Amino acid sequence: MTALNSPFRGLGGIKVFAPATVANVVCGFDVLGFAVNAPGDEVVMRLVGKPGVAITKIEGDNGKLPKAAEKNTVSASVQHYLKYVDRTDVGVEIELYKKMPIGSGLGSSSASTVAGLYAINKLMGDLLTPMEMVPFAMKGEELACGYGHADNVAPAMLGGFVLIRSYEPLDIIKLPVPQGLYCAIVFPDVDVPTRDARQMIRKSVQLKDAVVQWGNVAGLVSGLFMNDLDLIGRSMHDVLVEPTRSILIPDFYKMREMAMEGGAISFGISGSGPSVFAFTRDEQTANVITQKIQQHLKTLNINSYTYVSAVNEQGPQILG
Ligand code: HSE
């Protein structure tokens, strides 16, 4: 269905998809992320006569998300947007369709927030660029987990691989996407709230560990520019965050072993977990790895969900 003949548009509304994201990309805590084609969330948004922002429906959240406008990340970020563009006279109704798990480490809140911001910006006639909307999406992250990190919202909004070179001032750089790269994701259905997973990390680091880490971040970014999957793979090691967070993830090191033996070029935690991901050179290898890990988790009585995707270069998409 094209945007023009959409039933949503006919009613002064729009339907937008925004993608899940893998933040950190192992070595780049809070500064690197990329988007995937699936899963993702959908938002339907309509302009109404009465000023104000309201969530009228949420589906797929098992009742977990707040509907109050100032507490929900979608409506709250739309409120920030409307204030910034000086259009608090506008009335908006929002329906949120959660099509991905909450608390998975796949940027669930960010996918919803970005879909909402993309939708309102389209309805308002593209007043801002996607890059200019990232700070409003960061407000949503602040609400969701206590800190406005950009490594989920920026790739969800811009697509592809993204580097947050600096937070103050905000300086976001789009990076190249290597050809043939596939991502295998497994979400073990255990609870790891981002807020808690952030609090458990050490607040200071040793210089020798920092040297390892920034060497790896530079190596990964170089690998993306050089289209060098070997360099990308050997750079994806994290000595700062993973040793602590992996404790929360069932059989993390066994899953890594299985992925690497199955032909992955790298393996690590997606965002704050519990999802894990591997990069592979092709789709088939990614499929086999996700199936093997899923079977292994089953033997531990842990339910899991798997996703295989190329890197999503488009970002949000108008569905109708
Ligand atoms: N960089 C964030 C973290 C991503 O690791 O806490 C959360 O998805």
Coordinates of all heavy atoms in Angstrom, one line a residue, residues 22-25 27-34 151-152 155 161-164 175 217 220-221 224:
V22 N 20.8 -2.8 17.6 CA 21.8 -3.4 18.4 C 22.8 -2.3 18.9 O 23.5 -1.8 18.1 CB 22.6 -4.5 17.7 CG1 23.7 -5.0 18.5 CG2 21.6 -5.7 17.3
A23 N 22.7 -1.9 20.1 CA 23.5 -0.8 20.7 C 24.8 -1.4 21.2 O 24.9 -2.6 21.5 CB 22.8 -0.1 21.8
N24 N 25.8 -0.6 21.3 CA 27.2 -0.9 21.8 C 28.0 -1.6 20.7 O 29.2 -1.4 20.6 CB 27.2 -1.7 23.1 CG 26.4 -1.0 24.2 OD1 26.3 0.2 24.2 ND2 26.0 -1.8 25.2
V25 N 27.4 -2.5 19.9 CA 28.2 -3.3 19.0 C 29.4 -3.9 19.6 O 30.5 -3.9 19.1 CB 28.5 -2.5 17.7 CG1 28.8 -3.5 16.5 CG2 27.4 -1.6 17.3
C27 N 32.1 -3.4 21.5 CA 33.2 -2.6 22.2 C 32.8 -1.2 22.3 O 33.5 -0.4 23.1 CB 34.5 -2.8 21.4 SG 34.3 -2.4 19.6
G28 N 31.7 -0.7 21.7 CA 31.4 0.7 21.7 C 30.3 1.1 22.7 O 29.3 1.7 22.2
F29 N 30.5 0.9 24.0 CA 29.4 1.2 24.9 C 29.0 2.6 24.8 O 29.8 3.6 24.9 CB 30.0 0.9 26.4 CG 29.0 1.3 27.4 CD1 27.9 0.5 27.7 CD2 29.1 2.4 28.2 CE1 27.0 0.8 28.7 CE2 28.2 2.7 29.2 CZ 27.1 1.9 29.4
D30 N 27.7 2.8 24.5 CA 27.0 4.1 24.4 C 27.4 4.9 23.2 O 26.8 5.9 23.0 CB 27.2 4.9 25.7 CG 26.2 4.6 26.8 OD1 25.3 3.7 26.6 OD2 26.3 5.3 27.8
V31 N 28.3 4.4 22.3 CA 28.7 5.2 21.2 C 28.5 4.5 19.8 O 28.7 5.2 18.8 CB 30.2 5.7 21.3 CG1 30.4 6.5 22.6 CG2 31.2 4.5 21.2
L32 N 28.2 3.2 19.8 CA 28.0 2.6 18.5 C 26.7 1.8 18.5 O 26.2 1.3 19.5 CB 29.1 1.6 18.2 CG 30.5 2.1 17.8 CD1 31.5 1.0 17.8 CD2 30.4 2.8 16.5
G33 N 26.0 1.8 17.3 CA 24.8 1.0 17.2 C 24.5 0.8 15.7 O 25.0 1.6 14.9
F34 N 23.6 -0.2 15.5 CA 23.1 -0.4 14.1 C 21.7 -0.8 14.1 O 21.2 -1.4 15.1 CB 24.0 -1.3 13.3 CG 24.0 -2.7 13.8 CD1 23.1 -3.7 13.3 CD2 25.0 -3.1 14.7 CE1 23.1 -5.0 13.8 CE2 25.0 -4.5 15.2 CZ 24.1 -5.4 14.7
D151 N 22.6 5.4 21.4 CA 23.1 4.3 20.5 C 22.0 3.4 20.1 O 22.3 2.5 19.2 CB 24.3 3.6 21.1 CG 24.1 3.1 22.6 OD1 23.2 3.7 23.2 OD2 24.9 2.3 23.0
N152 N 20.8 3.5 20.6 CA 19.6 2.8 20.0 C 18.9 3.8 19.1 O 18.5 3.5 17.9 CB 18.7 2.3 21.0 CG 19.2 1.1 21.8 OD1 19.5 1.1 22.9 ND2 19.4 0.0 21.1
P155 N 20.6 5.0 15.5 CA 20.5 4.1 14.3 C 19.1 3.8 13.9 O 18.8 3.6 12.7 CB 21.2 2.8 14.8 CG 21.5 2.9 16.2 CD 21.4 4.4 16.6
F161 N 24.8 1.9 10.4 CA 25.7 1.9 11.6 C 25.8 3.4 12.0 O 26.0 4.3 11.1 CB 27.1 1.4 11.2 CG 27.2 0.0 11.4 CD1 27.1 -0.9 10.3 CD2 27.6 -0.6 12.6 CE1 27.2 -2.3 10.5 CE2 27.8 -1.9 12.8 CZ 27.6 -2.8 11.7
V162 N 25.9 3.7 13.2 CA 26.0 5.0 13.7 C 27.0 5.1 14.8 O 27.1 4.2 15.7 CB 24.6 5.6 14.2 CG1 24.7 6.9 14.8 CG2 23.6 5.6 13.0
L163 N 27.8 6.2 14.8 CA 28.7 6.5 15.9 C 28.3 7.7 16.6 O 28.0 8.8 15.9 CB 30.2 6.7 15.3 CG 31.2 7.3 16.2 CD1 31.6 6.4 17.3 CD2 32.4 7.8 15.4
I164 N 28.2 7.7 17.9 CA 28.0 8.9 18.7 C 29.4 9.4 19.1 O 29.9 9.0 20.1 CB 27.0 8.7 19.8 CG1 25.6 8.3 19.3 CG2 26.8 10.0 20.6 CD1 25.4 6.9 19.3
L175 N 28.1 5.7 9.6 CA 29.2 4.9 9.2 C 28.8 4.0 8.0 O 27.6 3.7 7.9 CB 29.8 4.0 10.3 CG 30.2 4.8 11.6 CD1 30.5 3.8 12.7 CD2 31.4 5.6 11.3
V217 N 37.5 -0.2 19.3 CA 36.5 0.7 18.7 C 37.1 1.3 17.4 O 36.4 1.3 16.4 CB 36.1 1.9 19.7 CG1 35.2 2.9 18.9 CG2 35.4 1.3 20.9
L220 N 37.1 -1.5 14.8 CA 35.8 -1.8 14.3 C 35.4 -0.7 13.3 O 34.9 -1.0 12.2 CB 34.8 -1.9 15.4 CG 33.3 -2.0 15.1 CD1 33.0 -3.1 14.1 CD2 32.5 -2.2 16.3
V221 N 35.6 0.5 13.6 CA 35.2 1.6 12.7 C 36.0 1.5 11.4 O 35.5 1.7 10.3 CB 35.3 3.0 13.4 CG1 35.1 4.1 12.4 CG2 34.3 3.1 14.5
L224 N 34.7 -1.2 9.2 CA 33.4 -0.8 8.5 C 33.8 0.0 7.3 O 33.2 -0.2 6.2 CB 32.5 0.1 9.4 CG 31.9 -0.7 10.6 CD1 31.2 0.3 11.5 CD2 31.0 -1.8 10.2

